[in-house]
Amino acid sequence: GLNEVHTFSAGTGVPIQRFGAVAGPGISSEIDAGLAHYNNESRVATLYSTSGHVLGTLAAANNALGYSSVFENGTHYFLYNAATTAMRRFRKSDLGLDFTWTNPILSNTYLQWDVTTANRAGQFQMVLADRFSNRISFVNALNGGAQQYSLSGVSSITGLATGHANGVYTSVT
């Protein structure tokens, strides 16, 4: 409600600082630099450092209501639109848009818990899960190609995270 971000020590929980940012309704995501916020009104994703310094903005989007998160790997930021299943890729070096693909990576109920640099068979760099099914997708960050897998004995995925050695962890029903 105050359009503020508060940061805390991960080791102690002690407050570190707060800064005014992310004005307007939207969704915020943690990135290596600090925070990315997609503003539903201005249709812009703004990147912030951990101290609140604006690092830059990603290109405006044509569907303000569909965007759900900003993710990253070592070289790019990714802006995903769940309404259109479009993924937009931006270079970290200059925040320029360099690739957009639209295909049904997953349904619009995709679980926005984690997109990662996990690597499967030398090519997949993102992992997504469908919230109301047992499907996981490994997505190629270069061309948007995806391979989907169904987890046996699972009725629904409730969480997704990645770990060491490219491990993918899910919480399931």
Side-chain angles (χ1 to χ4, degrees), residues 33-164:
L35 183 80
H37 178 73
Y38 183 79
N39 188 316
N40 286 332
E41 292 176 342
S42 65
R43 303 183 182 191
V44 171
T46 303
L47 309 181
Y48 297 89
S49 71
T50 54
S51 63
H53 176 70
V54 175
L55 302 173
T57 58
L58 305 183
N62 59 11
N63 183 341
L65 299 179
Y67 285 90
S68 50
S69 287
V70 179
F71 300 106
E72 66 183 331
N73 66 11
T75 59
H76 289 85
Y77 293 109
F78 299 86
L79 183 60
Y80 184 70
N81 187 323
T84 63
T85 64
M87 186 78 77
R88 308 181 83 194
R89 189 180 71 196
F90 301 85
R91 294 180 300 271
K92 280 188 171 180
S93 59
D94 62 0
L95 303 184
L97 176 68
D98 67 2
F99 196 71
T100 300
W101 65 85
T102 301
N103 62 3
I105 296 171
L106 283 175
S107 70
N108 58 11
T109 58
Y110 111 97
L111 190 67
Q112 61 188 58
W113 287 71
D114 208 357
V115 172
T116 179
T117 55
N119 183 301
R120 180 175 172 81
Q123 61 178 326
F124 294 99
Q125 296 180 299
M126 296 186 288
V127 181
L128 302 93
D130 191 327
R131 184 184 303 274
F132 300 115
S133 80
N134 65 347
R135 295 180 300 158
I136 287 181
S137 286
F138 292 87
V139 181
N140 187 324
L142 297 177
N143 61 23
Q147 290 184 5
Q148 294 187 1
Y149 299 89
S150 296
L151 305 180
S152 61
V154 171
S155 61
S156 120
I157 298 172
T158 57
L160 175 72
T162 57
H164 300 291

